[in-house]
């Protein structure tokens, strides 16, 4: 069974631009969670999608948004990029989410210049 | 707010040594996971523990969940360079999302 895939793996943007990241979960998994990882803050929860609905949201500004499609694939979007948005963005999938075992993708390394 | 602390923050040891890293919280969790993450990659799930006092073994790695389900430890026997990485613990309660600790960065020198 294929693992969680994320595209692109690396991305360089400039301040003020916007970016869209993609995540394909493990087949059969309906929950996709997104995390931001930085050296200073560690792994922080962004939001979780289940059956095309945002079920939980972390403490991030509205510039961070996401969506999930009927095939469970998910995208997250960051608008008006800031230097502090430079991070490794990880998605994780699980069957039903909310405390179940989750499996991470390799991440997208975003650099904002 | 549920918080997880991990100690030590950094650990550098020689190949063949034993080590223990800790994950502590003032909150009770219904489940706790341990991950290992290598640079530039996503965390890889090592184990999930759900019962207070539970001990699980994965080759040279031994995981224990505290009786009160507030803390956990990871013991590595005869560490090898391949064990090098960032070890993360994450706790969750049913219906809630995972909370991650800051991690222990382990370096095993040959």
């Amino acid at each position: 069974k294929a693992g969680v895939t994320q595209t692109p793996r690396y991305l360089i943007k400039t301040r003020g631009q916007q970016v869209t990241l993609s995540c394909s979960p493990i087949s059969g998994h309906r929950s996709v969670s997104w995390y931001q990882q930085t050296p200073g803050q560690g792994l922080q929860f962004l939001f979780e999608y289940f059956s095309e609905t945002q079920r939980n949201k972390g403490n991030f500004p509205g510039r961070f948004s996401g969506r999930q499609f009927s095939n469970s694939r998910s995208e997250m979007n960051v608008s008006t990029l800031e230097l502090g948005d430079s991070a490794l963005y990880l998605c994780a999938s699980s069957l039903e989410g909310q405390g179940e075992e989750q499996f991470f993708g390799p991440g997208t390394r975003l650099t904002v210049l | 707010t549920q918080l997880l602390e991990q100690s030590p923050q950094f650990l550098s040891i020689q190949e063949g040594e034993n080590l223990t890293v800790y994950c502590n919280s003032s909150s009770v969790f219904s489940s706790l996971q341990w991950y290992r993450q290598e640079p530039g990659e996503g965390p890889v799930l090592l184990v999930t523990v759900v019962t207070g006092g539970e001990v699980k073994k994965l080759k040279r790695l031994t995981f224990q969940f505290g009786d009160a389900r507030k803390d956990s430890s990871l013991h590595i026997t005869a560490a090898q360079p391949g064990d090098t990485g960032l070890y993360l613990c994450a706790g969750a309660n049913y219906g809630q999302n995972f909370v991650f600790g800051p991690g222990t960065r382990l370096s095993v020198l040959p």
Side-chain angles (χ1 to χ4, degrees):
Chain A
K1 187 184 275 190
V4 179
T5 58
Q6 292 187 245
T7 56
R9 290 294 310 275
Y10 302 93
L11 207 48
I12 299 176
K13 292 284 187 180
T14 56
R15 278 182 301 173
Q17 287 187 308
Q18 76 167 20
V19 67
T20 299
L21 312 180
S22 181
C23 172
S24 292
I26 292 171
S27 178
H29 285 193
R30 297 196 292 165
S31 168
V32 174
S33 296
W34 287 91
Y35 295 86
Q36 182 196 66
Q37 187 176 31
T38 59
Q41 300 296 320
L43 253 161
Q44 293 189 289
F45 172 73
L46 280 156
F47 30 65
E48 183 215 0
Y49 284 86
F50 180 80
S51 292
E52 303 178 65
T53 302
Q54 187 181 89
R55 188 159 61 176
N56 283 303
K57 189 177 189 305
N59 191 24
F60 278 81
R63 300 185 297 108
F64 292 82
S65 63
R67 59 178 176 168
Q68 187 179 34
F69 302 95
S70 59
N71 62 358
S72 294
R73 189 177 70 86
S74 177
E75 290 181 345
M76 68 162 280
N77 185 78
V78 188
S79 62
T80 320
L81 284 166
E82 301 177 358
L83 295 178
D85 296 334
S86 293
L88 182 67
Y89 289 88
L90 294 158
C91 82
S93 78
S94 66
L95 283 169
E96 302 285 330
Q98 294 194 317
E100 284 196 339
E101 287 189 334
Q102 55 181 353
F103 300 88
F104 282 86
T108 294
R109 170 73 62 186
L110 172 65
T111 301
V112 182
L113 303 176
Chain B
T1 302
Q2 296 177 314
L3 291 175
L4 278 168
E5 298 177 343
Q6 291 188 246
S7 60
Q9 188 177 358
F10 299 97
L11 188 57
S12 182
I13 61 172
Q14 293 293 133
E15 182 176 2
E17 291 184 10
N18 301 331
L19 67 114
T20 302
V21 297
Y22 301 92
C23 173
N24 297 289
S25 176
S26 58
S27 302
V28 175
F29 293 102
S30 59
S31 69
L32 192 139
Q33 297 187 337
W34 284 93
Y35 295 83
R36 179 171 66 228
Q37 185 179 22
E38 299 187 19
E41 299 295 328
V44 174
L45 179 65
L46 297 174
V47 78
T48 300
V49 286
V50 297
T51 305
E54 181 178 6
V55 177
K56 280 192 174 180
K57 292 193 174 185
L58 183 67
K59 296 183 181 178
R60 294 176 293 101
L61 278 60
T62 302
F63 305 85
Q64 183 161 9
F65 200 13
D67 291 340
R69 291 185 287 126
K70 293 183 178 182
D71 54 85
S72 181
S73 64
L74 159 58
H75 181 79
I76 301 179
T77 303
Q80 299 177 1
D83 296 326
T84 293
L86 178 67
Y87 287 81
L88 294 160
C89 66
N93 284 303
Y94 183 75
Q96 299 176 6
N97 292 92
F98 281 96
V99 173
F100 279 80
T104 290
R105 191 164 297 281
L106 172 65
S107 178
V108 182
L109 307 174

